[in-house]
Amino acid sequence: MTALQISSVLIVDDSLVQRSHALAICRELGIEKLHEAGNGREALALLTAVSPKPGLVIVDLEMPTMDGPEFLVKLQELGFDIPVIVASSREQALIDTVREMGGVLGLHVLAAVQKPLQVDVLRQALQNAQSRETRRSSQRTELNIDAAALSDALDRGEIFVHYQPKADIRTGIVRGVEALARWKHPTLGMVPPDQFIPLAERSQLIHRLTIDVMNQSMLQNSAWRARGLHLPVAINLSPVLLERSDLALEIASLQQCHGLTPDQIVIEITESSLVTRVGTALSVLAQLRLRGFGLSIDDYGTGFSSMQQLARIPFTELKIDRSFVRGAPERESLQVILRSAIEMANRLGLVTVAEGVESLQEWRMLQEFGCTLGQGWLIAKPMAGDDLIGWMKQYRVQVGQLRA
Ligand code: C2E
Ligand code: CA
Ligand code: CA
């Protein structure tokens, strides 16, 4: 088997033996161009000098002159966008911490493993790097969008909503859905929300977009209700909108127009440092809660001052970011975070939702930790509102295996 399209690798390790071993494994996978460095500083010098840049860096943690963690920080500071594998002979918990650090820095850490490096581990990591590259190049054309295009899209009704079920962790029963905005561009195809939501936030279009999403979601909720399905809808609210002092009133009028009760709506808000008018934001959140809407902290664990926010704002739900869920059964450091987040939320009387549950193993672990709801591909990918009832029918068949 070949090493896919990665043709050059940089190995950073002070041990000659370990370096030779890693080189041999790379050769086994058919990688032709191999660079070596004995510490972080040498590696940076090499990266600056060579062109094209290596497609992967394999880095040790403990090295003289510049160690692995410092090297990773420098890699980010200097703007090198190269996937990394951390390989060390230290204990897995420490290696995991460095991986976490790399992730927080925005680096792409493909794997964090104990030495000696195994050929299968490297092969898998290279495959991951490859699929990331394919994804990125397929997205590249879509970057060609601006505020005018998004505004036209809103006028033409190109923004629509998909719904992803949230299921009870003990029984698998669907308790609600999250509304996720989609943009079907006439020539570019599907533009992912990670691209157009930030654009909307920068260009004052986020208010229009959110109202559009809310209207569609509330209509959908009524349509399901007419068919006997009571599914609260969670709607994402950009923190920048919390600076509009009349927002709670506006959402409440929409909810009344659609003949819904506020408990049918959950508002998901990411922790954010974006909000400048904190007083207004707190007042809007308090009003929403007083009116009976659910309030959820989204992407919990990725933002700042998590505890402070929890204490100040009357949240009803905590959504644990998927970066803490994915791979948790194999990583103790993630389990510690998950368990303590769930325990804390339980004590505060909050519903806990685990995002990005992809495997039955992750599901079982969340069951054991006492999480309330799970959302992720294991249950279903986001889907059109009209498809949900059909999906529910076939889901009833598979739900048995999810029961505790
Ligand atoms: P989010 O609020 O964290 O939404 C969950 C994201 O995780 C969705 O991505 C969903 O498709 C994805 N996801 C769900 N299950 C899994 C899983 O098992 N594995 C993996 N890898 N991913 C999973 P999506 O739809 O691309 O949305 C991305 C983000 O865009 C959302 O993250 C949310 O922050 C934002 N967004 C989407 N719609 C809206 C909106 O109407 N308003 C605002 N303000 N933001 C929105
Ligand atoms: Ca969300
Ligand atoms: Ca989230």
Side-chain angles (χ1 to χ4, degrees), residues 131-145:
S131 56
R132 170 193 189 235
E133 199 33 56
T134 319
R135 264 200 319 276
R136 291 172 121 215
S137 54
S138 70
Q139 281 172 8
R140 237 163 248 152
T141 47
E142 295 172 357
L143 284 170
N144 223 342
I145 46 166

Side-chain angles (χ1 to χ4, degrees), residues 42-342:
E42 271 180 42
L44 287 178
L46 201 143
L47 282 177
T48 314
V50 299
S51 176
K53 306 292 172 216
L56 172 72
V57 177
I58 301 175
V59 63
D60 182 24
L61 290 186
E62 292 167 301
M63 294 177 290
T65 319
M66 185 190 285
D67 64 14
E70 190 184 351
F71 169 71
L72 292 178
V73 171
K74 287 274 188 293
L75 206 60
Q76 189 268 339
E77 281 175 2
L78 296 170
F80 285 112
D81 183 23
I82 304 176
V84 176
I85 294 179
V86 176
S88 163
S89 33
R90 291 298 299 269
E91 64 274 22
Q92 191 63 45
L94 177 67
I95 303 177
D96 284 348
T97 305
V98 176
R99 178 215 201 105
E100 229 75 75
M101 183 199 91
V104 171
L105 287 171
L107 295 171
H108 193 63
V109 185
L110 293 176
V113 295
Q114 275 187 304
K115 290 199 289 198
L117 199 61
Q118 310 282 333
V119 71
D120 291 342
V121 170
L122 185 58
R123 183 182 289 131
Q124 186 60 50
L126 290 173
Q127 272 161 359
N128 294 348
Q130 188 60 44
S131 56
R132 170 193 189 235
E133 199 33 56
T134 319
R135 264 200 319 276
R136 291 172 121 215
S137 54
S138 70
Q139 281 172 8
R140 237 163 248 152
T141 47
E142 295 172 357
L143 284 170
N144 223 342
I145 46 166
D146 57 13
L150 181 56
S151 180
D152 288 348
L154 283 161
D155 290 341
R156 289 196 296 252
E158 286 167 19
I159 306 290
F160 62 101
V161 183
H162 271 179
Y163 303 87
Q164 187 177 35
K166 293 159 130 180
D168 191 310
I169 291 267
R170 277 165 313 163
T171 59
I173 293 169
V174 176
R175 299 287 184 211
V177 292
E178 174 174 6
L180 293 157
R182 297 286 177 261
W183 177 3
K184 194 163 186 335
H185 190 284
T187 54
L188 298 174
M190 292 292 257
V191 181
D194 289 336
Q195 291 189 26
F196 67 82
I197 298 291
L199 172 66
E201 286 174 337
R202 286 194 303 272
S203 57
Q204 327 289 322
L205 289 168
I206 190 67
H207 179 251
R208 238 173 98 200
L209 186 147
T210 305
I211 298 298
D212 188 354
V213 168
M214 284 189 173
N215 261 318
Q216 293 188 43
S217 307
M218 291 184 191
L219 263 177
Q220 186 62 63
N221 177 288
S222 310
W224 284 328
R225 203 161 25 117
R227 303 186 56 182
L229 258 186
H230 294 265
L231 286 178
V233 183
I235 296 166
N236 291 286
L237 193 73
S238 165
V240 301
L241 289 176
L242 294 176
E243 301 191 355
R244 302 174 69 102
S245 53
D246 58 351
L247 188 80
L249 190 65
E250 196 176 6
I251 297 177
S253 327
L254 278 182
Q255 160 249 319
Q256 283 156 13
C257 281
H258 286 278
L260 304 181
T261 50
D263 60 347
Q264 290 297 296
I265 312 288
V266 179
I267 305 287
E268 294 190 3
I269 305 143
T270 345
E271 305 172 75
S272 171
S273 53
L274 283 177
V275 179
T276 46
R277 292 166 58 196
V278 179
T280 311
L282 288 176
S283 140
V284 168
L285 290 169
Q287 288 174 54
L288 285 169
R289 188 61 206 117
L290 282 171
R291 288 179 180 273
F293 295 101
L295 276 189
S296 176
I297 296 200
D298 207 352
D299 304 334
Y300 176 75
T302 59
F304 311 92
S305 60
S306 317
M307 283 305 292
Q308 246 171 304
Q309 305 233 17
L310 278 179
R312 274 204 299 196
I313 300 166
F315 282 104
T316 55
E317 182 182 278
L318 187 77
K319 281 192 96 166
I320 303 167
D321 190 68
R322 61 181 181 275
S323 59
F324 298 103
V325 176
R326 192 181 325 145
E330 297 90 45
R331 284 161 68 193
E332 252 189 69
S333 55
L334 292 185
Q335 290 171 32
V336 173
I337 299 172
L338 266 180
R339 211 190 265 276
S340 59
I342 292 168

